[in-house]
Amino acid sequence: VDLPEGTPLEQTHRTLQALADHLETVPEVTDYQLYAGTAAPINFNGLVRQYYLRADAHLADLQVNLRHKSARERKSHEIAQAIRAPLQEIGRRYGANVKIVEVPPGPPVQAPLVAEVYGIDYAGQLALARDLRAVLEETPDIVDIDDSSEAESARLILRIDREKATRLGLDQAAIARAVATLVGGEDVGYLHRDDLKYPQPIRLELAEGDKRDLRGVLALKLRAAGGALVPLSEVVEVIESRNDPSIFHKDLLPVVFVTADMAGELDSPLYGMFDVLLRLRDDVFSPLLDAPIEQYLVNPPANPYQYSIKWDGEWQVTYETFRDMGLAYSVGLILIYLLVVAQFRSYAVPLVIMAPIPLTVIGVLPGHALLGAQFTATSMIGMIALAGIIVRNSILLVDFIDEQLAAGTEFEEAVIQAAAVRARPIMLTALAAVLGAFFILDDPIFNGLAISLIFGILISTLLTLVVIPVLFYALKYRQLAGRQEA
């Protein structure tokens, strides 16, 4: 929960309590904790998002505990989607930006959708970020929009008239110490009691209500050297100013972050990101620009002093994960090919043996669509595992054919017997792998692995029993026919 800078702690707590009153009407909520002006206990997700830095009067967290999944019908993600709109409506009444943060099923990121705004002028970056935020707000299904800019806040500077203070016999250090005590407080002693384990500090400070008006602070009178009482307003001048905004940096470059999340039928933030990306590619969305802005997906901007956008968040994690998985998949296929070459002393036979590997896609992708699951990194791990399983089945068939040919069996008969004899052990091992994958099918992280194994093994195993004998027969037929003629 983010309120405007300068919001008092009492208003922050009042906003939290209004949100909590609505949460009490949600049947799946067991309890909740309010953290106003301080950070909630840190977890891995909060560590990455730097929630431990959220310690200011206008910042708050509200942590919610749900019933066990066996005691409720809705999943936690469905509950989060259902309560987002009413909670944000309550937050708008109090001028607060309310964001629903779930425990991520994968590696945590700063936000699911992150746009990093670079440029030569930080004020221009802030203005560009506000224009980009307006574009995100107009894009369907993009929610929890925020940016790293700060609202302008007033700053009062107290300047001591040194000449006048000296004439009145007031010490400048005493004036500064008195103001600091009134506003920030000062421990003037300790109370020792038998029922307290530690001494209780006695703190001298103005009441919070009296701090709202600076005139109450400056009305304090200090005793001058001659014994007269002089109000602070006689020797202190109040100068109104503005606080300088914080400047965020990434890789030593000033940057403004625009963050958001995705909710709706297409729940992945990548869809929302590419909707915005394609729109910005064709439109000039900010008065600061005279052409569509440069956008970067993988690497930082080539010229960070030109206004540009680098997309980050779950997109960056997804890209790096699938890039590394793809490289691992390729290296695995090469190693499998080399091992099969060493086994069969042929460069063509391994191609036949590895031919069913692409057939796993026929089972994996429709399986995810059938169950309404997303293709995740664990799904890719399942495809890598399928490569080894399918090659093993192919080797069983080809090796059986070679053994039958060595025993003098006709080539056509050997191919037919291989599919018939090896079908049972191949089907049993495939069934064992499928049954094992059922135990992780409902896991929020590893369900992609289970879907890949179940549907990939079922479809590719059935196709392997047909494809391998046919391809091997086509490869060896002419070779054996030529030997018989010779």
Side-chain angles (χ1 to χ4, degrees):
V1 181
D2 299 336
L3 284 94
E5 285 80 356
T7 302
L9 185 63
E10 292 78 9
Q11 178 66 12
T12 303
H13 186 270
R14 191 177 299 111
T15 305
L16 275 181
Q17 192 59 56
L19 298 172
D21 292 341
H22 176 78
L23 288 176
E24 290 185 353
T25 64
V26 180
E28 293 88 352
V29 174
T30 58
D31 44 52
Y32 52 84
Q33 305 89 38
L34 310 182
Y35 299 92
T38 185
I42 196 66
N43 53 26
F44 186 36
N45 185 45
L47 182 65
V48 173
R49 299 190 176 196
Q50 299 181 345
Y51 285 165
Y52 55 89
L53 298 177
R54 295 175 54 82
D56 210 334
H58 66 281
L59 302 176
D61 290 349
L62 199 159
Q63 290 194 346
V64 183
N65 297 326
L66 303 177
R67 298 183 186 276
H68 190 267
K69 60 182 181 180
S70 61
R72 49 183 165 88
E73 296 181 358
R74 293 190 297 179
K75 296 181 179 180
S76 61
H77 184 62
E78 296 175 354
I79 299 172
Q81 288 183 318
I83 67 175
R84 174 178 277 111
L87 288 183
Q88 290 181 341
E89 178 60 31
I90 295 173
R92 277 191 288 270
R93 294 204 299 263
Y94 289 88
N97 185 4
V98 179
K99 290 167 284 187
I100 310 299
V101 179
E102 305 175 58
V103 177
V109 292
Q110 180 180 353
L113 200 159
V114 178
E116 302 171 357
V117 181
Y118 293 91
I120 190 171
D121 178 30
Y122 200 73
Q125 291 174 246
L126 292 172
L128 197 62
R130 286 191 288 268
D131 294 336
L132 176 60
R133 178 172 179 171
V135 175
L136 293 175
E137 291 173 347
E138 297 172 357
T139 305
D141 297 335
I142 292 185
V143 297
D144 295 353
I145 304 170
D146 200 1
D147 58 67
S148 59
S149 64
E150 299 175 348
E152 290 189 357
S153 56
R155 182 186 183 190
L156 300 179
I157 301 175
L158 302 183
R159 177 178 294 174
I160 301 175
D161 188 339
R162 299 181 179 180
E163 181 180 352
K164 192 173 184 180
T166 302
R167 290 200 309 266
L168 294 175
L170 292 176
D171 185 14
Q172 298 179 29
I175 297 174
R177 187 168 56 252
V179 174
T181 300
L182 294 174
V183 177
E186 180 182 358
D187 294 339
V188 295
Y190 291 91
L191 178 63
H192 299 271
R193 292 173 50 182
D194 295 336
D195 58 341
L196 294 177
K197 184 176 181 180
Y198 300 103
Q200 185 74 22
I202 301 173
R203 192 165 188 82
L204 184 63
E205 183 178 359
L206 275 180
E208 292 295 330
D210 296 332
K211 295 180 185 179
R212 294 178 58 87
D213 190 356
L214 192 60
R215 289 176 298 182
V217 177
L218 299 182
L220 175 70
K221 297 181 179 181
L222 295 181
R223 190 171 297 279
L229 293 176
V230 180
L232 288 175
S233 57
E234 291 290 330
V235 293
V236 173
E237 178 186 3
V238 180
I239 302 175
E240 295 186 1
S241 179
R242 291 287 178 180
N243 284 315
D244 295 330
S246 301
I247 299 179
F248 293 85
H249 289 78
K250 182 176 180 180
D251 297 332
L252 303 180
L253 294 175
V255 60
V256 179
F257 297 100
V258 181
T259 59
D261 198 353
M262 188 77 173
E265 184 178 357
L266 299 176
D267 207 16
S268 173
L270 270 65
Y271 293 103
M273 186 197 78
F274 281 106
D275 286 344
V276 178
L277 184 146
L278 294 176
R279 177 178 175 181
L280 299 186
R281 182 175 292 175
D282 301 328
D283 297 345
V284 181
F285 69 95
S286 174
L288 295 174
L289 305 172
D290 53 6
I293 192 170
E294 291 288 335
Q295 302 181 75
Y296 297 85
L297 293 174
V298 179
N299 300 316
N303 181 8
Y305 302 107
Q306 178 185 5
Y307 288 123
S308 57
I309 295 175
K310 164 66 172 68
W311 293 101
D312 204 277
E314 286 191 7
W315 152 252
Q316 188 72 26
V317 175
T318 302
Y319 165 75
E320 293 177 353
T321 299
F322 282 94
R323 177 198 62 190
D324 297 342
M325 289 289 182
L327 292 175
Y329 195 29
S330 302
V331 172
L333 295 180
I334 294 174
L335 293 177
I336 290 174
Y337 178 79
L338 295 177
L339 290 174
V340 179
V341 167
Q343 173 68 26
F344 291 94
R345 301 293 192 272
S346 171
Y347 292 105
V349 173
L351 297 178
V352 174
I353 292 175
M354 299 176 66
I357 293 179
L359 300 179
T360 59
V361 179
I362 300 177
V364 171
L365 297 184
H368 282 78
L370 182 64
L371 298 182
Q374 298 179 357
F375 189 85
T376 62
T378 57
S379 304
M380 193 68 180
I381 295 174
M383 290 190 63
I384 297 174
L386 283 173
I389 296 174
I390 299 307
V391 166
R392 179 207 59 191
N393 296 338
S394 303
I395 292 176
L396 288 175
L397 293 171
V398 173
D399 188 61
F400 186 86
I401 296 174
D402 287 343
E403 290 180 357
Q404 293 298 307
L405 291 177
T409 307
E410 292 292 331
F411 179 53
E412 291 83 355
E413 183 66 23
V415 173
I416 295 174
Q417 288 185 9
V421 175
R422 292 299 190 188
R424 178 177 293 180
I426 288 176
M427 294 296 291
L428 289 177
T429 54
L431 183 61
V434 169
L435 293 177
F438 268 107
F439 290 96
I440 57 174
L441 187 59
D442 62 342
D443 189 273
I445 298 178
F446 294 103
N447 65 334
L449 173 62
I451 295 172
S452 295
L453 291 177
I454 293 173
F455 288 92
I457 290 176
L458 288 177
I459 301 300
S460 59
T461 299
L462 295 176
L463 295 178
T464 298
L465 294 174
V466 177
V467 173
I468 290 299
V470 172
L471 291 179
F472 191 75
Y473 181 84
L475 176 67
K476 289 291 186 178
Y477 178 76
R478 292 184 179 180
Q479 181 180 354
L480 293 176
R483 289 179 183 178
Q484 292 175 359
E485 292 177 358

